[in-house]
């Protein structure tokens, strides 16, 4: 069942928050950008963020004849917490949302950062529902044995800490949720100061958008962020080789969050991968290249 969010803005072309009631009774929030009659691109947000991290771009979407359906993972925004979150469970949630919206045909799928792994899971587990995949500054699944060998020492250490000291991470995410709720401007300023130059520049330019997205991302006392991290660290539950849709990997050569070294390896495991390196750009590259990304994706979708 589909219901408008209480904060829904019905202005034509502007982002529309909605809530879908899933078959098991849970609520899943989403934001729809663009005309509901247009072909669909599904967007998976990054870690600690939400469906609000996209530029509204109503004129761009209208010119392309495209709508973007951005989903909030469990425990984010208006989505209920789901402790058993996994890549397969959220792929199933995504299909349930598409069914609730009456979207039957293949869609484009985009994923930024860890959202890229969720995009791959959807394409691998429901290939008939996916026409094309675009991975934007994507990560690797931390819990897959083969991919683990390619992780940096930093990411191996972060995975170890997440699994070995879950109480500490839960406490950290609870504290961060309070900071985002009480002091959002101060908190995003703190994160910007910690960023590499390429990320800091773009984040500052889109400061309000990313701030509001993070506030929603850390809703529910940070429970959704914690569960997302746990899912990321466990075995992924799908095989990347099962992805058959054409897949474009957009990655900046100056990415300070997920270094580009692993991207050729990831591409080697995807049957129809195409690398799209962006010189000098960082982890937030999707914000600077949104028109190019959507234009290419629209060309890969059925008319």
């Amino acid at each position: 069942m589909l219901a408008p969010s209480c904060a829904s803005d019905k202005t034509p072309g502007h982002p529309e928050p909605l809530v879908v009631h899933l078959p098991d009774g849970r609520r899943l929030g989403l934001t729809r950008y663009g005309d509901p009659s247009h072909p669909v691109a599904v967007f998976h947000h990054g870690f600690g963020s939400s469906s609000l991290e996209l530029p509204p771009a109503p004129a761009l979407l209208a010119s392309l004849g495209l709508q973007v359906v951005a989903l909030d993972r469990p425990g984010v925004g208006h989505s209920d917490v789901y402790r058993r979150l996994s890549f397969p469970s959220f792929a199933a949630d995504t299909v349930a949302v598409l069914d609730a919206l009456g979207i039957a045909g293949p869609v484009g799928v985009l994923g930024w950062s860890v959202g890229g792994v969720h995009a791959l899971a959807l394409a691998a587990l429901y290939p008939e529902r996916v026409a094309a995949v675009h991975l934007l500054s994507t990560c690797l699944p931390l819990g897959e044995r083969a991919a683990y060998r390619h992780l940096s020492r930093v990411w191996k250490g972060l995975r170890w800490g997440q699994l070995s000291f879950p109480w500490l991470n839960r406490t950290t995410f609870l504290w961060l949720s309070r900071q985002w709720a009480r002091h959002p401007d101060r908190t995003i300023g703190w994160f910007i100061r910690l960023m590499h130059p390429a990320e800091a520049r773009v984040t500052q330019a889109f400061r309000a958008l990313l701030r509001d997205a993070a506030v929603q991302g850390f809703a529910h006392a940070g429970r959704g962020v914690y569960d997302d991290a746990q899912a990321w660290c466990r075995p992924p539950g799908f095989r990347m080789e099962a992805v058959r849709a054409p897949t474009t990997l957009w990655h900046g050569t100056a990415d300070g969050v997920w270094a580009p070294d692993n991207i050729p390896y990831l591409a080697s495991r995807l049957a129809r991968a195409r690398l799209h390196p962006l010189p000098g750009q960082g982890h937030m590259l999707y914000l600077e290249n949104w028109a190019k990304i959507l234009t290419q994706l629209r060309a890969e979708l059925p008319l």
Side-chain angles (χ1 to χ4, degrees):
M1 184 172 65
L2 177 67
S5 164
C6 60
S8 181
D9 179 355
K10 296 185 179 298
T11 305
H14 284 258
E16 180 185 14
L18 298 168
V19 173
V20 169
H21 292 268
L22 299 172
D24 64 1
R26 287 183 293 123
R27 297 175 303 165
L28 194 90
L30 62 104
T31 304
R32 179 159 55 192
Y33 300 80
D35 189 328
S37 67
H38 288 162
V40 177
V42 172
F43 181 85
H44 293 290
H45 62 76
F47 184 75
S49 190
S50 69
S51 64
L52 300 181
E53 70 186 15
L54 297 182
L60 171 64
L61 292 172
S63 68
L64 293 175
L66 183 69
Q67 64 167 309
V68 177
V69 174
L71 309 180
D72 286 323
R73 289 194 286 279
V76 171
H78 294 289
S79 294
D80 290 334
V81 170
Y82 184 59
R83 296 287 305 277
R84 295 174 300 205
L85 174 67
S86 66
F87 291 113
S89 78
F90 193 65
D93 289 349
T94 302
V95 171
V97 168
L98 293 175
D99 290 343
L101 295 175
I103 300 166
V107 301
V109 181
L110 307 110
W112 175 57
S113 197
V114 71
V117 187
H118 283 282
L120 288 172
L122 180 65
L125 297 171
Y126 299 92
E128 72 284 356
R129 305 299 291 263
V130 177
V133 180
H134 284 247
L135 304 178
L136 318 175
S137 308
T138 193
C139 305
L140 293 176
L142 302 182
E144 188 199 68
R145 183 174 298 178
Y148 181 83
R149 294 195 294 269
H150 293 264
L151 299 180
S152 69
R153 289 184 180 180
V154 171
W155 282 107
K156 287 179 180 178
L158 288 172
R159 179 180 183 270
W160 175 78
Q162 178 68 30
L163 296 178
S164 300
F165 305 99
W167 58 269
L168 178 59
N169 288 282
R170 181 71 191 97
T171 302
T172 300
F173 294 140
L174 173 61
W175 178 80
L176 281 172
S177 75
R178 291 172 176 167
Q179 301 312 303
W180 281 113
R182 298 171 182 173
H183 313 289
D185 286 306
R186 186 173 73 187
T187 304
I188 195 166
W190 179 68
F191 274 103
I192 290 172
R193 288 192 293 274
L194 294 175
M195 289 176 177
H196 289 251
E199 283 80 41
R201 175 179 55 82
V202 180
T203 302
Q204 185 61 47
F206 291 87
R207 183 185 180 111
L209 182 146
L210 294 170
R211 177 201 63 205
D212 294 347
V215 170
Q216 289 296 301
F218 278 85
H220 303 277
R223 181 80 236 185
V225 183
Y226 173 80
D227 292 336
D228 206 18
Q230 289 290 105
W232 190 10
C233 291
R234 292 192 293 262
F238 70 94
R239 294 178 62 253
M240 288 191 281
E241 288 80 4
V243 176
R244 291 289 175 251
T247 304
T248 304
L249 294 87
W250 303 73
H251 214 92
T253 62
D255 193 319
V257 176
W258 196 273
D261 302 357
N262 297 145
I263 302 309
Y265 162 72
L266 175 57
S268 74
R269 296 187 57 185
L270 302 171
R272 302 173 66 186
R274 174 172 50 189
L275 291 172
H276 200 315
L278 295 168
Q281 295 199 32
H283 200 63
M284 322 299 292
L285 64 80
Y286 79 95
L287 289 165
E288 295 186 289
N289 298 276
W290 195 228
K292 293 179 182 178
I293 292 165
L294 291 187
T295 299
Q296 181 174 318
L297 177 62
R298 181 64 184 91
E300 297 171 312
L301 298 181
L303 296 176

